[in-house]
Structures are given as C-alpha cells and as structure tokens.
C-alpha cells in the first residue's frame, strides 16, 4: 500500500520504519490513528494510511489471519484490484496478473493497443494481454518484473528500448510509434482555491488545529477558505475565535505560499496572529478544546502535511514583530478582546 503512490526507492526505508513501529497486524490494529498518520508523514495520500489501519482492525476482527485470495483481499479498505492482485501473487503465489499504470503502458506498447488503457475496449484488451502473458509458475516474480520494466525501462516519455528484453516482440517499437501508446487520458482542469492561514504562539508553543480543508485529521495552523475578492486577513480574523478559541488582536501578512493537492491549487496568504491574552491563564489552561499547542521541535512525532512545513518555513524567514518592514498590514481593525 505504501507503493501505491510512492517509488520503491523512497518506499523501502519508510516501509522498514513502519514495520519496526507496527511489526504485526495486531500491533497496527491496536495503534491510535494519530500515531499511524504520524508514521506516514511525508508519504502523502494519507487515505492510504487510514485504510491500512482500518484494514488491520478488520483482519483482527475476523480472527487475525490475513486473507490470501484476490476476492477476500478486496473486501479490505484501500485494496483495489491492482493491490489485491499484487499481494495475492507476490505474497501467496496466486496466478493473477497485477495491472498498474506501468504494466499497462508496457502491454499497450508491446501489442500496440490503441486508446486509454483504463477505459472501455482498451482496458479489456490490456487485461486480456496481461492474462495471456502471465507466467503461471512464478506469478509474483512475473508481476514484479513487469512493474520494474515499466518503472525503469519502458518509461512514459523516453522508453529505453535498447535495454528492453521485450524489444524483439514490441509492435510499438517496430512501427516507430512508442509515443503513441498508450493513448492519453483527458485531464481535469485544476481548481484554484484561496486560503488564509494564521500562525500564533502561546507561551512559545504553536497554535494548531485539526485540518478540515487540506488533509482532514492532520495538525495544521488555523486555516480558512477565502471567497473571490474577499480580504484574506479579515476573513481569518473573523473566524479566529471559532477556530482557535481566542480573539485575534493583530493580524499581519507574512507572505504567500502555493501548494497543490491532486487537482486543487491552493494559494495561501500567511499571517502572523497576535492573540488576546487571558488574564486568568495558567499554563495548563493555555490549550483550549479547539487547539493543540506544540513546541515546534515536537512536530516531528505528529501527523502533519507538507503545507505546514511550507507555512512555518515562510514564517521563520520573515522578521518578527509588528516592525516587519515593507509588509502590508491587512486583516480586521483590531477586534475587541473577548477574554477567551
Ligand atoms: S521495446 Fe521499448 S516500447 Fe516496447 S516494451 Fe520495451 S521499452 Fe517499451
């Protein structure tokens, strides 16, 4: 499941680290989701980690034995046809082809199958070719070999045909049309989204909340979506009491960060926020029901996305305090403190 969206080179050390922290299905099942997400940090596509965790719990509920067939594996969350076939063939020797994007590209070129191999007749033709080509005595080795061939030799833009063991039989190569296969998929246009993010500290600790916009469940600084033409600082100031549990006294623009998640392009205005202090505050009361307060060095052990790193890096580069030169002051007229 790590390799669903991650290269082998990047995935192996993370897999070793994951296995040392959660060495068995039972250990993964018993872990808190927060800890699983923290271990997954930096790998992206966090739904995979949540699904892996849920799958471990389901396996334990069903008696603690890993399912071995494609059909049984597919009843677990996050395991689609490709992952089920990969696990069943590699781990249990089931004679099923595993068809990922790399393998589909190899087969589309090998047989000069026109069209986009994820859809319609092209998909059926690629699946039939995969099944006919499968080495049924060593399906796991066969599948891994084809995956590697697609990842390292039959590259999307510049296939290294000279190094390819299938070159002699490859119809795309023979016709000099390797670039025409597989057919291209129509891309969805990217959607732009404006956000405002606020960085505040209480007693030296960062004010963090549970992300509800970018990667649900992750820790992030308070964020709000900003409508077209709206003032980002004002938008942040107006929701700060609800997000962070305090009023914002001063909101000062630090800069802008760009971040893309799938087809969404986020443009994030980043603000330093000075909050209204609480007069009755004891150290233990500094954390409200809305927030978590963390020393920046403690972030390593928490689930957090790449956006938080970008926001904090921008804030760290900027001069501190309201004397920051050349920075436009935006945001609301200082709102009245509401005492917390
Ligand atoms: S010969 Fe070239 S295009 Fe054909 S499968 Fe090998 S690398 Fe891909």
């Amino acid at each position: 499941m790590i390799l669903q969206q991650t290269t082998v080179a990047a995935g192996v050390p993370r897999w070793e680290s994951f296995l040392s922290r959660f060495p068995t299905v039972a250990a993964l099942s018993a872990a808190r989701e927060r800890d699983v997400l923290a271990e997954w940090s930096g790998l992206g596509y966090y739904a995979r980690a949540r699904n892996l965790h849920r799958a471990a719990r389901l396996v334990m509920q069903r008696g603690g034995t890993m399912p071995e067939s494609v059909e049984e594996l597919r009843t677990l969350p996050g395991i689609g046809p490709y992952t089920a076939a990969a696990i069943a063939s590699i781990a249990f020797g089931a004679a099923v082809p595993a068809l990922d994007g790399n393998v589909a590209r190899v087969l589309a070129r090998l047989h000069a199958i026109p069209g986009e191999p994820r859809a319609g007749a092209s998909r059926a033709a690629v699946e039939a070719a995969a099944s006919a080509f499968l080495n049924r005595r060593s399906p796991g080795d066969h599948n891994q070999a084809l995956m590697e061939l697609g990842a390292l030799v039959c590259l999307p833009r510049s296939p290294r045909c000279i190094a390819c063991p299938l070159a002699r039989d490859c119809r795309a190569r023979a016709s000099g049309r390797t670039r025409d296969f597989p057919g291209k998929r129509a891309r969805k246009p990217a959607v732009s989204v404006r956000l405002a993010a606020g960085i505040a500290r209480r007693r030296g600790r960062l004010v963090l909340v549970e992300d509800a916009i970018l990667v649900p469940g992750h820790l992030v600084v308070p964020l709000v979506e900003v409508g077209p033409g709206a003032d980002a600082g004002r938008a942040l100031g107006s929701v700060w009491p609800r997000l962070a549990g305090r009023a914002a006294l001063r909101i000062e623009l630090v800069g802008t960060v760009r971040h893309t998640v799938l087809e969404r392009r986020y443009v994030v205005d980043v603000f330093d926020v000075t909050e209204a202090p609480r007069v009755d505050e004891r150290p233990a009361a500094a954390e409200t029901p809305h927030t978590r307060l963390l020393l920046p060095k403690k972030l390593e052990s928490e689930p957090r996305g790449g956006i938080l790193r970008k926001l904090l890096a921008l804030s760290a580069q900027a001069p501190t305090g309201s004397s920051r030169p050349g920075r436009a002051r935006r945001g609301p007229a200082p709102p009245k403190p509401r005492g917390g």
Side-chain angles (χ1 to χ4, degrees):
M1 287 174 82
I2 288 175
L3 295 181
Q4 282 171 352
Q5 299 280 353
T6 304
T7 62
V8 173
V12 166
R14 300 304 306 271
W15 175 77
E16 286 171 344
S17 169
F18 197 93
L19 264 282
S20 72
R21 188 153 179 196
F22 310 113
T24 61
V25 180
L28 181 58
S29 160
R32 293 180 306 175
E33 183 181 274
R34 198 162 118 190
D35 294 333
V36 177
L37 292 177
E39 183 60 37
W40 200 269
S41 278
L43 278 170
Y45 301 97
Y46 290 86
R48 292 179 294 161
R50 288 197 182 85
N51 282 333
L52 191 56
H53 190 213
R54 294 211 327 260
R57 290 190 165 173
L58 261 178
V59 169
M60 293 312 294
Q61 282 167 18
R62 294 173 184 174
T65 304
M66 270 299 290
E68 299 188 5
S69 72
V70 168
E71 294 72 25
E72 288 173 311
L73 284 161
R74 286 202 60 186
T75 65
L76 297 176
I79 299 191
Y82 162 66
T83 306
I87 296 172
S89 62
I90 297 169
F92 304 115
V96 285
L99 199 53
D100 69 353
N102 286 330
V103 174
R105 181 170 60 252
V106 172
L107 294 170
R109 285 174 172 167
L110 185 63
H111 299 284
I113 297 169
E116 204 279 293
R118 285 172 218 247
S122 303
R123 182 191 179 116
V126 168
E127 284 175 355
S131 188
F133 194 37
L134 181 69
N135 181 327
R136 289 169 197 278
R137 280 175 302 165
S138 302
D141 290 343
H142 171 97
N143 284 334
Q144 291 186 76
L146 266 190
M147 290 173 199
E148 287 297 281
L149 189 72
L152 302 177
V153 178
C154 194
L155 301 171
R157 291 198 184 156
S158 307
R160 297 167 52 218
C161 301
I162 200 150
C164 179
L166 302 178
R168 207 181 53 184
D169 301 318
C170 179
R171 293 178 63 187
R173 180 176 186 244
S175 60
R177 295 175 58 214
T178 54
R179 284 176 175 239
D180 294 344
F181 301 97
K184 300 281 178 290
R185 187 165 40 141
R187 280 192 174 274
K188 282 193 207 157
V191 178
S192 277
V193 181
R194 274 182 76 208
L195 300 177
I199 296 174
R201 287 179 171 77
R202 295 178 195 164
R203 298 178 179 273
R205 290 170 165 80
L206 280 166
V207 176
L208 300 167
V209 296
E210 197 165 288
D211 190 358
I213 298 178
L214 294 160
V215 187
H218 270 202
L219 283 179
V220 72
V221 298
L223 284 171
V224 64
E225 197 164 331
V226 182
D231 182 301
R234 281 183 190 281
L236 185 65
S238 66
V239 297
W240 193 267
R242 177 171 60 77
L243 292 178
R246 297 256 176 108
L249 276 184
R250 189 170 61 212
I251 294 182
E252 208 170 355
L253 182 68
V254 177
T256 299
V257 157
R258 291 172 198 282
H259 188 71
T260 301
V261 180
L262 299 175
E263 277 106 15
R264 291 172 89 79
R265 283 196 203 126
Y266 295 97
V267 179
V268 190
D269 282 343
V270 186
F271 296 87
D272 267 349
V273 177
T274 305
E275 296 183 304
R278 278 172 52 141
V279 284
D280 62 339
E281 186 165 279
R282 291 164 288 122
E287 207 163 83
T288 72
H290 306 271
T291 59
R292 288 195 64 206
L293 303 183
L294 275 183
L295 288 168
K297 64 182 180 191
K298 298 260 175 151
L299 274 173
E300 285 303 315
S301 58
E302 295 292 329
R304 71 214 181 280
I307 183 70
L308 185 56
R309 282 188 210 101
K310 287 186 188 174
L311 297 174
L312 296 179
L314 177 70
S315 175
Q317 284 164 13
T320 54
S322 56
S323 58
R324 181 177 292 127
R327 302 274 171 191
R329 175 165 169 162
R330 296 174 62 176
K336 285 185 189 151
R338 298 205 312 190

